[in-house]
Amino acid sequence: MAITHHSSKPPITQGWLLIAMTACVIAILSINAFLLMREHRSVELAAIRTSLNIVRLIDRDVQNTVEQYDSALSALIRVSKRGDLSNLSQPLKQMLMFDKAEETPDNGGFFMLNAQGDLVVSSLADYTPGKNYSHWQSFIEQRDSSGNDLFISHPFPTEATQGACCISFSRRISGADGSFQGVAIAQMKVEYFRSLFQKLDLGANSTISLINTDGTLLIQQPGRDNARDDLSHDPIFNRLLKEHKGSFIAVSSKHGQEELYSFSEVGKLPLVVVVSLATEDVFASWRRNALLVGCVTLMLCITLLGLTWLLGRELQLRRKAEQTLEAMIRTDPLTELANRRKLDETLTTEWLRAQRTRKPLSLIMIDVDHFKSFNDTYGHPYGDEALRLVGKTLKTFVRRSTDLVARYGGEEFAMVLPDTHAEGAAQLAERIRHTIEQLPPIKPGGIPITVSLGTCTQQVTADDSQTRFLHCADQALYQAKKNGRNCVVSRNAAGDA
């Protein structure tokens, strides 16, 4: 009876191939989903950074403008209390009182009212002294207030500015006994802020707003019909007040669209700057990219399930990636020199080789002088640049394939020199020291870079210790730093200089 042999290998192979392909499809989909989500977060963070920078810019400009007006008001009050003011001519008196007022941008006039609200003096010729303006909001607020804070009014139209909206800044004038003696008022055209905001193009569905902390919308660009609305009951505005400064995404209760809000209180002033970006605009480019990447990925996955050769291609790509990773884990990313791991491996290999060949092995330890002070003075970016420059310089001294220069850690470097005697190691160390000393400063006019170096040379035997060899070089380096830095100290494994 004949026996028929059935090969079970093909089904198993096909099954494993299908499993491998399915795993690849799931991995690719997962990786793409992860990358898209990470890119989504990156886009969001970039938008937050941009909007917060705009907020800071507006914050600074608004604060500077208000400080100009406040300074002009203080000067007006100070001059009005001079005892010799009545002896001066009217033009000179006017010039003294409103000298700083002329420096304020887009001002709608400066006024001084007495305790009854009668106009005492004005920077505008259209306003007649003696006329009563006790109905002005600024006068009422300061009259009823016991403090001496700067008051910022709600927007209002004025005749002097042909109906253009203004806001007023006012300060209470108090007597020596604290009694109310009047109000100094400055009016500023709201159009100043609008022209400031118009210079910043954020997109059609995005806005810049300046809001009083009592909830009054002072200005919004682009302009909308809800200007001067009361936002005190708006949940988003209340969140702005609670958090003081920052960013968040929320659905606008007024426009019904999701927006990215970035905001900040303007110094100690009762003002909040808000930049709102429509997330539809922020993520528009990301959505297009996500759709494109998603379609391409889906087509690729379908193709993978039908074509077996793609699995081999993926495996080949994986092997290349592993080789790249293998090289990366032995390289210092900042200086692009070998890292501590590669140094340890090379030193062990050369130590064993030196034992076999009975040839000398030298090690140079290098330390950048006063590096912590350098970092504290110039900052970490310049410190990193200094380390890169030192590493690039050290690399030029590696002439043989067996030599190795590596970053030992922090600001320390090491150089392994097989088949090198003590004299050669010391001479090389001195050339390195001199070359680095001659390098131009990282920052013009800055501190020059110097290094301290310690060398150790050993004729390796089976009874010698690699740890002691390292300790010898480290002690030589320590002595170089102790000797005043920017020098070379050489020792042998017995510790002799």
Side-chain angles (χ1 to χ4, degrees):
M1 182 179 179
I3 301 176
T4 304
H5 295 277
H6 298 279
S7 176
S8 59
K9 187 174 181 180
I12 295 175
T13 303
Q14 292 173 3
W16 279 111
L17 184 60
L18 181 60
I19 292 173
M21 286 185 176
T22 303
C24 286
V25 168
I26 295 174
I28 291 172
L29 290 175
S30 300
I31 290 171
N32 274 275
F34 170 75
L35 292 176
L36 287 173
M37 289 301 100
R38 189 173 68 173
E39 180 65 21
H40 185 278
R41 181 58 177 165
S42 297
V43 171
E44 180 183 337
L45 291 175
I48 289 174
R49 283 193 298 270
T50 300
S51 56
L52 283 177
N53 286 336
I54 293 173
V55 166
R56 281 191 285 270
L57 176 65
I58 297 172
D59 183 304
R60 184 175 64 249
D61 284 345
V62 171
Q63 196 164 352
N64 289 341
T65 301
V66 174
E67 285 176 357
Q68 276 187 279
Y69 273 88
D70 193 23
S71 177
L73 286 175
S74 299
L76 174 60
I77 295 173
R78 186 172 59 255
V79 172
S80 71
K81 293 183 177 182
R82 288 179 51 168
D84 60 346
L85 193 62
S86 59
N87 299 328
L88 303 177
S89 64
Q90 185 60 31
L92 182 57
K93 186 189 303 183
Q94 195 83 359
M95 184 185 71
L96 286 174
M97 298 186 80
F98 300 109
D99 180 43
K100 285 199 171 184
E102 297 300 324
E103 302 173 4
T104 56
D106 279 340
N107 82 71
F110 279 72
F111 311 88
M112 179 177 287
L113 308 182
N114 62 19
Q116 290 74 42
D118 299 329
L119 180 65
V120 177
V121 66
S122 169
S123 64
L124 302 178
D126 297 339
Y127 285 77
T128 306
K131 188 173 181 180
N132 188 271
Y133 293 99
S134 59
H135 60 282
W136 279 3
Q137 181 189 7
S138 300
F139 177 82
I140 296 171
E141 289 288 343
Q142 294 289 4
R143 181 194 62 194
D144 297 342
S145 171
S146 58
N148 194 34
D149 296 332
L150 179 71
F151 173 72
I152 302 176
S153 74
H154 297 171
F156 59 91
T158 66
E159 296 178 2
T161 56
Q162 290 78 46
C165 271
C166 290
I167 59 173
S168 66
F169 307 99
S170 60
R171 280 203 175 273
R172 173 190 174 102
I173 303 174
S174 301
D177 58 353
S179 60
F180 176 69
Q181 293 190 344
V183 181
I185 301 171
Q187 295 180 353
M188 186 187 75
K189 300 172 187 176
V190 174
E191 190 62 28
Y192 170 76
F193 290 123
R194 191 179 298 280
S195 63
L196 175 65
F197 298 166
Q198 281 176 341
K199 299 174 184 177
L200 306 168
D201 184 14
L202 302 179
N205 298 317
S206 303
T207 61
I208 305 174
S209 307
L210 184 63
I211 310 173
N212 198 307
T213 51
D214 66 2
T216 303
L217 179 62
L218 301 180
I219 182 71
Q220 187 174 78
Q221 178 62 29
R224 290 180 175 173
D225 294 337
N226 61 347
R228 298 189 295 279
D229 271 2
D230 181 8
L231 305 178
S232 57
H233 300 296
D234 189 295
I236 291 179
F237 173 73
N238 289 323
R239 181 173 177 179
L240 302 180
L241 287 185
K242 182 178 179 182
E243 297 183 11
H244 304 294
K245 181 179 181 180
S247 295
F248 62 85
I249 293 178
V251 176
S252 169
S253 57
K254 287 188 173 292
H255 316 129
Q257 66 178 6
E258 187 179 68
E259 297 183 355
L260 169 63
Y261 293 91
S262 297
F263 58 96
S264 174
E265 292 183 351
V266 183
K268 297 182 179 180
L269 299 174
L271 299 172
V272 181
V273 175
V274 184
V275 172
S276 60
L277 307 177
T279 55
E280 180 180 351
D281 295 338
V282 172
F283 297 114
S285 177
W286 176 85
R287 289 192 181 97
R288 289 193 295 270
N289 291 338
L291 180 61
L292 177 62
V293 172
C295 291
V296 171
T297 302
L298 184 60
M299 291 174 62
L300 177 61
C301 290
I302 294 173
T303 304
L304 276 173
L305 292 172
L307 302 173
T308 58
W309 65 268
L310 284 177
L311 177 59
R313 179 187 172 192
E314 288 297 320
L315 292 175
Q316 183 180 7
L317 291 174
R318 179 177 292 182
R319 283 194 296 272
K320 289 181 180 179
E322 289 173 350
Q323 292 170 359
T324 303
L325 181 61
E326 187 70 19
M328 288 174 59
I329 63 176
R330 287 173 171 78
T331 303
D332 176 63
L334 178 64
T335 61
E336 297 183 355
L337 299 176
N339 60 13
R340 178 67 178 274
R341 179 174 181 171
K342 177 64 174 176
L343 173 66
D344 291 341
E345 291 174 355
T346 301
L347 188 57
T348 299
T349 300
E350 296 303 333
W351 180 268
L352 295 175
R353 181 180 296 162
Q355 282 183 341
R356 293 193 305 271
T357 62
R358 299 300 178 97
K359 291 182 178 180
L361 177 65
S362 292
L363 177 65
I364 303 177
M365 298 294 289
I366 305 124
D367 183 87
V368 180
D369 294 332
H370 305 292
F371 186 72
K372 184 179 185 302
S373 175
F374 186 97
N375 259 349
D376 293 341
T377 302
Y378 299 112
H380 289 285
Y382 282 104
D384 290 348
E385 185 60 29
L387 292 178
R388 278 192 288 266
L389 182 58
V390 170
K392 184 178 179 181
T393 304
L394 291 175
K395 196 181 291 186
T396 63
F397 289 91
V398 176
R399 307 293 171 82
R400 302 177 301 180
S401 60
T402 53
D403 295 346
L404 176 76
V405 61
R407 187 179 179 190
Y408 191 73
E411 67 273 22
E412 290 189 19
F413 300 81
M415 188 175 286
V416 180
L417 304 170
D419 194 14
T420 302
H421 293 279
E423 294 81 3
Q427 291 172 5
L428 178 61
E430 179 57 32
R431 291 204 306 272
I432 290 171
R433 185 203 67 77
H434 178 72
T435 302
I436 293 177
E437 186 182 37
Q438 300 303 313
L439 292 173
I442 291 296
K443 190 173 183 181
I447 302 171
I449 302 172
T450 61
V451 293
S452 300
L453 303 95
T455 75
C456 182
T457 302
Q458 184 165 353
Q459 200 80 28
V460 184
T461 66
D463 297 329
D464 291 327
S465 167
Q466 184 178 327
T467 303
R468 186 177 178 185
F469 179 56
L470 274 169
H471 182 69
C472 166
D474 195 59
Q475 286 298 306
L477 175 61
Y478 175 79
Q479 187 63 44
K481 292 194 288 185
K482 189 176 180 181
N483 289 352
R485 294 184 169 83
N486 193 22
C487 64
V488 177
V489 171
S490 299
R491 291 178 180 270
N492 55 38
D496 300 324

